[in-house]
């Protein structure tokens, strides 16, 4: 028997996906009103699917419902960014540990292919959206190797929030894309490939402290963590007989 074809997405899922993409790309800016009647006309559907789509986006943190205004695109602060990254960091550390326990060497080393496009985007001075897309592809792949479906689902919700937050912050601060060192993801990847959970934790914390420090104030602890992970990860990489990063 051939496997059953997946069910087609419901109308509200199509509307939600379109709105999510427009919000995360900046086509619909923060603070914009999302009027059910207008959206129903635009998508050629009744208000029911639009209403359900807005509920889903509200659960993801991309939309809020305000008195007398209705649904609007979330306007998020640095405090929101800090909270979202704290949750995301915790999920990534757990996922990376599980991936280190469960994934094959081939699967872990395969993550290298996702780091290269990210570095290429930075080297070319590409649009921040392009480098962010490559960044998210790497993290999605890493989290998926955990095999933890519940964690993956929650992580996807957090990615939507952090993507909106980082894009908003990048518009306000063009230096933001320079906050993260080019080698940051290589450091994390080295630690995962070497199956060193403590180095994975240090790597994620260094990344987030550097990023959040550039938005809200310098975090010298990030530089200490950076030096530590690069020194130890290189030693572990050699011990594990894996090619060290240049």
């Amino acid at each position: 028997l051939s496997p059953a074809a997946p069910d087609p997405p419901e109308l509200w899922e199509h509307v939600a996906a379109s709105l999510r993409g427009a919000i995360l790309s900046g086509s619909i800016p923060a603070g914009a009103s999302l009027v059910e009647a207008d959206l129903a006309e635009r998508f050629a559907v009744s208000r029911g699917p639009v209403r359900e789509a807005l509920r889903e986006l509200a659960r993801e943190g991309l939309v809020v419902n305000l008195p007398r205004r209705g649904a609007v695109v979330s306007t998020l602060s640095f405090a929101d960014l800090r909270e979202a990254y704290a949750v995301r960091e915790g999920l990534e550390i757990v996922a990376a540990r599980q991936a280190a326990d469960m994934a094959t060497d081939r699967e872990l080393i395969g993550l290298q292919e996702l780091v290269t496009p990210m570095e290429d985007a930075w080297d070319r001075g590409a649009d921040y959206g392009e480098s962010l897309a490559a960044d998210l592809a790497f993290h999605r792949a890493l989290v998926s190797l955990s095999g933890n479906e519940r964690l993956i689902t929650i992580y996807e919700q957090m990615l939507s929030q952090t993507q909106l937050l980082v894009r908003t912050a990048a518009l306000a601060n063009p230096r933001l894309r320079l906050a993260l060192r080019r080698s940051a993801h290589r450091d994390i990847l080295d630690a995962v490939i070497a199956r060193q959970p403590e180095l994975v934790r240090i790597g994620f914390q260094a990344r987030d402290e550097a990023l959040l420090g550039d938005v809200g104030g310098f975090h010298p602890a990030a530089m200490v963590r950076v030096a530590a992970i690069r020194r130890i990860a290189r030693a572990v990489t050699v011990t594990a007989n894996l090619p060290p990063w240049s």
Side-chain angles (χ1 to χ4, degrees), residues 29-83:
S33 295
L34 299 171
V35 181
E36 284 187 11
D38 294 344
L39 293 174
E41 181 178 355
R42 176 174 180 175
F43 289 105
V45 298
S46 67
R47 292 194 183 189
V50 172
R51 190 173 301 118
E52 186 57 38
L54 293 177
R55 288 195 188 110
E56 174 61 23
L57 295 178
R59 283 192 289 269
E60 295 177 11
L62 300 181
V63 169
V64 294
N65 288 288
L66 300 178
R68 297 183 295 280
R69 284 199 61 190
V72 301
V73 178
S74 298
T75 301
L76 301 167
S77 66
F78 172 67
D80 295 313
L81 180 64
R82 184 169 50 199
E83 289 179 1

Side-chain angles (χ1 to χ4, degrees), residues 89 93 188 200-210 222 225:
E89 178 187 295
I93 290 172
I188 293 170
V200 169
R201 182 185 65 79
I202 292 173
F204 279 120
Q205 289 182 341
R207 177 207 63 184
D208 293 349
E209 287 173 350
R225 295 181 191 278

Side-chain angles (χ1 to χ4, degrees), residues 145-194:
L145 289 180
S146 72
N148 188 325
E149 293 299 327
R150 288 180 173 82
L151 188 153
I152 293 169
T153 298
I154 297 171
Y155 186 72
E156 280 297 322
Q157 294 180 348
M158 294 309 304
L159 275 191
S160 293
Q161 291 187 41
T162 54
Q163 191 173 349
L164 175 60
L165 285 158
V166 171
R167 182 175 294 278
T168 302
L171 290 174
N173 180 5
R175 291 183 59 252
L176 180 60
R177 65 175 311 215
L178 303 176
L180 190 62
R181 296 170 307 104
R182 187 183 186 278
S183 62
H185 290 83
R186 292 283 183 179
D187 293 342
I188 293 170
L189 184 56
D190 277 348
V192 173
I193 291 176

